[in-house]
Amino acid sequence: MIFLQPIEKVFADFKSAKTGLSHDEIQRRLNDFGPNQIAKTAKKDYRIEYLKEYVSFFPILLEVAGLLALVADYFQPGEGNDILAYAVFAAVFVNATFTFWQKFKADKAMEALMKLVKSEATVLRNGETLSVDATQIVPGDVLILNEGDKVAADAILFESNDLYLNLSVLNGESTPSRRSLQAGDAKRELDAKNMVFAGAAITNGNGLAVVVATGEATEFGKIARMTAEVGKTETPIEREIKHMTKILTVLAFAAGVVFFLLGWFSDRGLLISAIFALSLIVANVPEGLLPTITLSLSLASQRMARRQALIKNLNSVETLGSATVICTDKTGTLTQNEMTVKSVWMANGCACSVGGNGYYEKGQWQFTGEPGRSPHESRQTSMQPLQEMLQLAAINTHAQVDFQAKTSFGDPTEIALVVTADKVQASLEGWEKVQEYAFSSERKMMSTLVKPKGEYQPVLAVKGALEAVLPRCKYWQGDADSKPLNAEKLAQIEQQNQKMAQQAYRVLAIAMKHGDGEEDLVFLGLIGLMDPPRNGVQEAIAQCYSAQIRVMMITGDNPITAAAIGKQIGLKVDAVLTGPDLDSLSDDVLRDKLKNQHLLFARMASAQKLRIAQLLQDNGEVVAMTGDGVNDSPALKQADIGIAMGSGTDVAKESGDMILLDDNFRSIVAAVEEGRTVYFNIKKITTYILSSNVPEIVPYVLSFFLKIPMPLSVIQILLIDLGTDQLPGLGLGSEKPEKHIMQRPPVGKNERILDREVFKRGYFMNGMFEGAAAMFAFLGFLYLTGWEYGNLDISDEYHRQAMTMTLLGAITCQMANVFTLRSWEDSLWNMQGINKMIWFGVGTEVVIVLLILYAPPVQTVFNTATVPLEYLWLLVPFPILLLLNHEWYKKRQREKLGLAH
Ligand code: ATP
């Protein structure tokens, strides 16, 4: 068993070394072993998916209607039932194809998004640290493992610093298990303590390991092959639409049965009544809504991806629109995470400032002097201690900087330290690392035990937050020797710390000790690093406030630094709470504080984020929370929208609903805007689709109670629902954000997309106008052409002309409807830009209108006829009334919400 062998033998077996493989060798091994991936589960067969569109419930209803029409034609030829049958079949075809196309496009959009979620691994090749695509890992590769990584392949450790592995994907055990360099008494790979496994997460520490298995040969690969594909869970919006479809289906069926019976008893014939009833059912059930909405959600997530927010879970697109609080990290999200050391203060009282921007520009050291010494004297006495302090700071890092190639790798704070050490010519060569006490956001410090060149006794280099380091210090470094810390010195250190923090510097305390153990340390000094705010963050925060979203910074950094940065970016801060403050508050008190105040949380441990998210949610808030570390994972899961940083750990990315590709706060706000937009767009689509049901049902109902000819035929109903409504509906789904979208309050948490408002506008407002329009056109035409009430015995051509008017009444209203529905709250006159899809859809409608008016073959299919021009004015009033009414309604809504006009 390989894990029982000495590590030298493992390296020999895999023809590898601690410095990794050469590039040529990797290429060779990639050819031999193949890429490090597990064969994807069977691809969707789109031919079968397409056929499925013909055999689900609603198409089958239509198919049955078509067959019934054929049967009717067989018994009573010459009544046009054959044409009806073909038209119904054509409707099935068009609908199936359109629905399939939408699903296909949505799938492709998601696939494209998923390609952006690349899995990367850090490796050592030819002695060089590289970040590579995880599929490119080969046996023999050396993995550099860090807290938060998802392990890319099975590997044997040859260095391990406090490394803990969460193996739950492999054995269901969620308590992280400590790794070591010995296998222990393991009998099989999975129990070997000196191994790490593909798919497992590193929850703590770091290490180096040599890969022994990749792809399907890994333990994870073996399991993955055994488990069947996990079923996709339904999102709430899907559930909501299905629920609504169910209600509407029941209603439609009830109506269908009633109409069937009415038709049958009023001597319309059994078959004809059945065909009509079935078609009515199909027409009234918005079965096309789900694919339309799915498509608009996936298009929205594509737009978001372009704005650097990658949605993993389509449902969060909708949730984003309701966000009321954004809890955000500071470093990297609000700031640039480009650290530059700006000032150094040494325990002997000597201070210096550092010039030179960026990492590679040689900066000027300016000794600012200290009480009793001139800057020149300071330089004389302090250059060497300064070099030593920066040397210890830089050795105690994982950063790698290549000054020649001007490239760097690692945590920006640490890179800045290495760069600064180089600026004072502190040598980092010849130190041998013995052990490391890893950094974690809980400990807020890190130490490395190193052996200096040619010396026997090791030295412990320590760096971290002052609160973490200072309590472990017993001495401070004077000019020549170390002295015991006293109250006066402690006060001086504290004062310096505050001074740096007030300048918005991130402050690191540096300490050391001859020998091992993080106690009784010698305090060396403080390093102040600057991390400027990101461009555009100030505007994004202002936008949040106008959108009535609170922004709370939750940072591991010092409260003074955090508040100083907050001030620079216009963050409202009513109170600053620190981690220890938080621990001393009961849930009730904290919940109360979280109600309306703008809080800033500093010196927070990741675990405390979970509590904040929970208490905010108790208050009814919808919480968006950012995170990057392993310990952020519970909070990311708890939050309504977990936002993982693109540069964050794999573990955080797996827990989040959304990945912020550029880590930028601005992108969160952009995503919220898109979320709100898509929320209203879906409302618009649904309203639009529901509206046209009214002019389909009203005429039919009236025809039973009034003595009038049938105003609309089955095929005409299908023409509207499965024909003219489709493209403009899709167009609504691609509407851009409305002007007021970030000035209105967030969408209520319990406000559903398909709420009363949608039904009100769809069925009762715009729908009623459409119903009236259809009947006005129909009856108006009959009246103007001298028809006598009660005369059902009219010529076929005349009847067709009248029906054409009803049909056109509905279609023209839908044209007006789609324009006024382009905005849910904003005025139509305010809308900017043109919506090409809507224009294309309306253009198609115009063509269809012309065809049904003037093209005989089309007229045969759709039971229409040419209507003399002088009657077409009957179509004019209602679309205008519909539009004006809806615009007036939106104006009142704006007034209600207090939005500018
Ligand atoms: P945010 O949580 O907003 O990203 P942050 O990056 O400052 O802020 P942490 O990374 O948890 O939060 O760091 C907390 C503190 O730990 C820092 O203020 C700093 O004092 C210290 N620290 C950060 N990085 C290191 C490091 N590499 N080594 C030692 N100490 C560090």
Side-chain angles (χ1 to χ4, degrees):
M1 278 175 280
I2 188 158
F3 54 88
L4 293 177
Q5 293 175 3
I7 195 72
E8 293 72 26
K9 172 103 176 37
V10 177
F11 275 117
D13 284 357
F14 282 87
K15 297 201 179 60
S16 181
K18 288 189 176 177
T19 49
L21 299 167
S22 71
H23 295 291
D24 295 346
E25 185 58 28
I26 286 165
Q27 208 44 53
R28 217 169 306 138
R29 291 191 192 194
L30 263 179
N31 292 339
D32 289 353
F33 294 94
N36 175 35
Q37 63 190 24
I38 293 154
K40 298 240 166 63
T41 36
K43 271 212 151 167
K44 260 191 193 169
D45 185 339
Y46 280 109
R47 284 169 306 187
I48 293 182
E49 295 297 313
Y50 180 59
L51 290 179
K52 275 191 196 160
E53 298 299 336
Y54 289 90
V55 291
S56 65
F57 185 63
F58 291 106
I60 288 179
L61 283 189
L62 269 188
E63 286 153 18
V64 170
L67 287 177
L68 288 180
L70 280 183
V71 174
D73 184 62
Y74 180 76
F75 288 111
Q76 291 167 316
E79 295 205 348
N81 284 322
D82 51 343
I83 293 178
L84 176 62
Y86 299 131
V88 169
F89 290 137
V92 174
F93 167 74
V94 170
N95 196 42
T97 309
F98 189 71
T99 312
F100 170 77
W101 175 75
Q102 294 194 74
K103 288 185 182 168
F104 180 76
K105 266 200 87 171
D107 265 12
K108 291 288 152 199
M110 272 327 270
E111 266 176 35
L113 287 186
M114 284 308 135
K115 278 204 190 116
L116 294 174
V117 197
K118 269 187 266 156
S119 185
E120 297 211 322
T122 313
V123 288
L124 204 58
R125 287 178 177 172
N126 245 353
E128 208 184 334
T129 307
L130 296 172
S131 180
V132 297
D133 192 327
T135 58
Q136 304 300 303
I137 303 282
V138 293
D141 247 331
V142 170
L143 293 180
I144 300 181
L145 304 164
N146 273 307
E147 179 181 300
D149 288 352
K150 203 169 93 180
V151 182
D154 289 3
I156 296 185
L157 286 160
F158 60 91
E159 185 180 319
S160 172
N161 299 305
D162 228 4
L163 195 111
Y164 282 79
L165 199 63
N166 183 328
L167 286 161
S168 58
V169 282
L170 292 159
N171 61 10
E173 174 59 57
S174 59
T175 324
S177 119
R178 196 187 157 94
R179 300 285 104 182
S180 71
L181 298 184
Q182 270 72 47
D185 53 2
K187 306 242 171 345
R188 54 175 196 150
E189 255 101 348
L190 258 186
D191 298 329
K193 294 275 182 244
N194 60 344
M195 281 194 77
V196 291
F197 303 95
I202 296 181
T203 57
N204 192 57
N206 54 56
L208 295 171
V210 53
V211 173
V212 292
T214 59
E216 300 200 346
T218 61
E219 294 296 310
F220 185 67
K222 288 177 203 159
I223 299 177
R225 251 180 299 154
M226 287 188 290
T227 33
E229 193 186 358
V230 187
K232 198 175 140 258
T233 50
E234 223 172 44
T235 65
I237 173 86
E238 271 174 356
R239 237 175 287 141
E240 210 183 316
I241 293 165
K242 283 198 177 156
H243 180 67
M244 183 185 86
T245 313
K246 236 181 244 162
I247 295 175
L248 293 176
T249 310
V250 171
L251 286 177
F253 266 91
V257 170
V258 171
F259 285 125
F260 171 71
L261 294 175
L262 285 174
W264 192 15
F265 290 131
S266 60
D267 282 342
R268 293 204 177 155
L270 188 66
L271 283 178
I272 301 299
S273 305
I275 296 164
F276 186 82
L278 288 179
S279 309
L280 196 69
I281 292 170
V282 176
N284 278 308
V285 177
E287 70 273 22
L289 199 57
L290 189 56
T292 310
I293 289 176
T294 314
L295 181 58
S296 64
L297 281 174
S298 25
L299 291 181
S301 41
Q302 261 190 340
R303 275 200 306 276
M304 286 186 188
R306 258 178 258 135
R307 296 175 82 172
Q308 306 297 323
L310 191 67
I311 291 286
K312 275 172 50 197
N313 167 3
L314 269 194
N315 174 40
S316 12
V317 177
E318 184 204 352
T319 322
L320 269 166
S322 324
T324 56
V325 179
I326 300 177
C327 296
T328 172
D329 287 345
K330 170 177 72 69
T331 311
T333 313
L334 298 171
T335 66
Q336 299 177 2
N337 203 9
E338 276 174 22
M339 305 279 173
T340 326
V341 172
K342 282 284 168 190
S343 81
V344 178
W345 181 81
M346 284 181 282
N348 68 359
C350 172
C352 43
S353 61
V354 193
N357 281 329
Y359 292 152
Y360 309 107
E361 201 175 298
K362 289 272 175 241
Q364 286 299 312
W365 283 92
Q366 200 92 52
F367 280 84
T368 43
E370 71 260 30
R373 279 183 205 165
S374 71
H376 179 71
E377 280 169 334
S378 286
R379 192 182 187 94
Q380 295 287 313
T381 49
S382 301
M383 197 59 196
Q384 199 194 345
L386 176 71
Q387 279 175 331
E388 279 168 13
M389 172 174 158
L390 288 174
Q391 193 173 37
L392 286 173
I395 275 166
N396 181 19
T397 67
H398 286 276
Q400 300 208 355
V401 183
D402 184 335
F403 289 96
Q404 241 106 56
K406 299 201 169 164
T407 55
S408 55
F409 201 90
D411 173 2
T413 306
E414 299 195 342
I415 295 174
L417 296 178
V418 174
V419 166
T420 312
D422 183 68
K423 286 185 182 176
V424 293
Q425 282 131 37
S427 159
L428 306 183
E429 297 298 315
W431 298 74
E432 190 193 331
K433 182 168 163 181
V434 183
Q435 204 188 342
E436 174 185 316
Y437 302 102
F439 171 78
S440 76
S441 64
E442 267 63 29
R443 269 165 44 82
K444 296 189 173 36
M445 61 181 284
M446 152 180 190
S447 310
T448 308
L449 191 65
V450 282
K451 249 196 225 157
K453 244 184 289 183
E455 283 184 35
Y456 180 70
Q457 198 188 23
V459 171
L460 186 73
V462 182
K463 72 180 195 308
L466 186 70
E467 295 94 307
V469 175
L470 198 56
R472 296 169 185 269
C473 292
K474 205 167 174 183
Y475 311 95
W476 61 277
Q477 182 66 44
D479 284 345
D481 49 2
S482 56
K483 305 184 167 103
L485 272 173
N486 55 19
E488 191 194 342
K489 197 72 196 173
L490 286 173
Q492 196 191 6
I493 294 171
E494 193 47 58
Q495 193 197 356
Q496 281 304 322
N497 181 42
Q498 288 211 6
K499 211 167 117 189
M500 284 188 182
Q502 273 156 0
Q503 289 170 277
Y505 291 166
R506 179 185 183 82
V507 189
L508 278 185
I510 309 294
M512 60 88 69
K513 178 184 171 179
H514 292 286
D516 198 0
E518 287 178 316
E519 67 275 334
D520 300 340
L521 308 174
V522 184
F523 179 82
L524 299 181
L526 298 171
I527 297 183
L529 300 107
M530 189 170 78
D531 179 17
R534 276 178 181 274
N535 294 331
V537 158
Q538 190 165 5
E539 291 74 16
I541 288 181
Q543 216 176 12
C544 287
Y545 292 145
S546 78
Q548 297 179 30
I549 299 170
R550 278 188 290 164
V551 182
M552 300 201 191
M553 185 201 287
I554 305 186
T555 177
D557 214 338
N558 179 318
I560 306 172
T561 309
I565 294 273
K567 207 163 149 198
Q568 289 180 3
I569 54 175
L571 193 73
K572 288 186 193 168
V573 181
D574 296 327
V576 179
L577 289 180
T578 64
D581 290 343
L582 211 65
D583 286 339
S584 67
L585 296 178
S586 72
D587 278 357
D588 286 340
V589 176
L590 184 56
R591 203 180 291 120
D592 225 42
K593 280 188 186 295
L594 284 167
K595 243 174 213 150
N596 297 309
Q597 295 200 62
H598 295 271
L599 300 179
L600 187 156
F601 298 94
R603 284 291 183 236
M604 298 288 290
S606 307
Q608 291 173 313
K609 285 186 175 179
L610 177 66
R611 186 167 168 227
I612 296 177
Q614 277 167 337
L615 295 179
L616 278 169
Q617 284 170 331
D618 285 355
N619 286 343
E621 307 282 356
V622 177
V623 184
M625 166 88 70
T626 67
D628 50 8
V630 191
N631 302 334
D632 289 338
S633 194
L636 289 180
K637 282 194 187 135
Q638 174 72 33
D640 300 275
I641 310 130
I643 306 173
M645 294 298 139
S647 66
T649 57
D650 299 338
V651 176
K653 285 188 207 159
E654 264 179 21
S655 315
D657 304 299
M658 183 173 122
I659 300 174
L660 216 54
L661 296 174
D662 62 354
D663 292 7
N664 194 337
F665 181 78
R666 225 169 47 172
S667 311
I668 304 179
V669 183
V672 169
E673 184 180 333
E674 287 291 349
R676 287 184 174 195
T677 304
V678 81
Y679 173 90
F680 286 107
N681 284 355
I682 294 176
K683 277 187 183 248
K684 295 172 198 170
I685 301 173
T686 321
T687 309
Y688 178 75
I689 287 177
L690 292 186
S691 306
S692 64
N693 281 351
V694 183
E696 290 161 6
I697 300 171
V698 166
Y700 201 70
V701 174
L702 289 183
S703 76
F704 274 103
F705 298 106
L706 303 176
K707 280 203 163 126
I708 53 173
M710 183 72 91
L712 204 63
S713 73
V714 172
I715 196 66
Q716 290 168 343
I717 292 181
L718 294 177
L719 174 65
I720 300 174
D721 277 12
L722 306 181
T724 55
D725 269 1
Q726 303 271 11
L727 288 176
L730 259 190
L732 288 175
S734 62
E735 255 320 317
K736 300 243 164 45
E738 286 177 37
K739 190 177 117 205
H740 295 123
I741 203 84
M742 291 303 271
Q743 282 158 28
R744 71 183 313 289
V747 175
K749 188 178 187 176
N750 299 320
E751 230 175 274
R752 301 313 325 160
I753 288 192
L754 310 171
D755 61 355
R756 270 186 34 213
E757 189 67 21
V758 167
F759 287 99
K760 183 163 112 193
R761 293 200 203 187
Y763 276 148
F764 297 105
M765 273 171 46
N766 301 4
M768 283 304 166
F769 277 97
E770 295 197 8
M775 287 318 290
F776 179 72
F778 179 73
L779 293 175
F781 174 76
L782 287 179
Y783 175 75
L784 291 179
T785 47
W787 174 75
E788 269 178 41
Y789 181 71
N791 179 13
L792 298 180
D793 192 21
I794 55 175
S795 78
D796 185 45
E797 176 73 6
Y798 186 35
H799 188 194
R800 280 166 173 259
Q801 283 182 324
M803 287 198 294
T804 307
M805 289 301 282
T806 321
L807 177 63
L808 292 184
I811 296 181
T812 46
C813 272
Q814 279 293 71
M815 288 183 186
N817 199 13
V818 76
F819 283 108
T820 179
L821 274 177
R822 278 190 64 193
S823 59
W824 194 249
E825 276 154 3
D826 204 2
S827 155
L828 172 61
W829 326 119
N830 247 335
M831 298 295 292
Q832 280 169 358
I834 53 165
N835 182 325
K836 283 194 203 136
M837 188 66 156
I838 289 186
W839 278 107
F840 179 62
V842 172
T844 322
E845 282 181 303
V846 171
V847 172
I848 292 176
V849 167
L850 292 175
L851 290 175
I852 56 182
L853 274 175
Y854 301 114
V858 178
Q859 290 175 335
T860 318
V861 176
F862 292 106
N863 313 123
T864 60
T866 308
V867 180
L869 278 177
E870 71 232 55
Y871 300 111
L872 292 186
W873 69 265
L874 288 165
L875 303 171
V876 176
F878 278 94
I880 296 175
L881 288 176
L882 181 154
L883 192 136
L884 292 179
N885 177 64
H886 191 242
E887 288 301 317
W888 171 77
Y889 180 78
K890 288 193 287 187
K891 185 166 179 286
R892 280 201 9 218
Q893 291 290 102
R894 288 198 294 278
E895 282 163 3
K896 245 198 235 165
L897 289 166
L899 302 176
H901 294 284

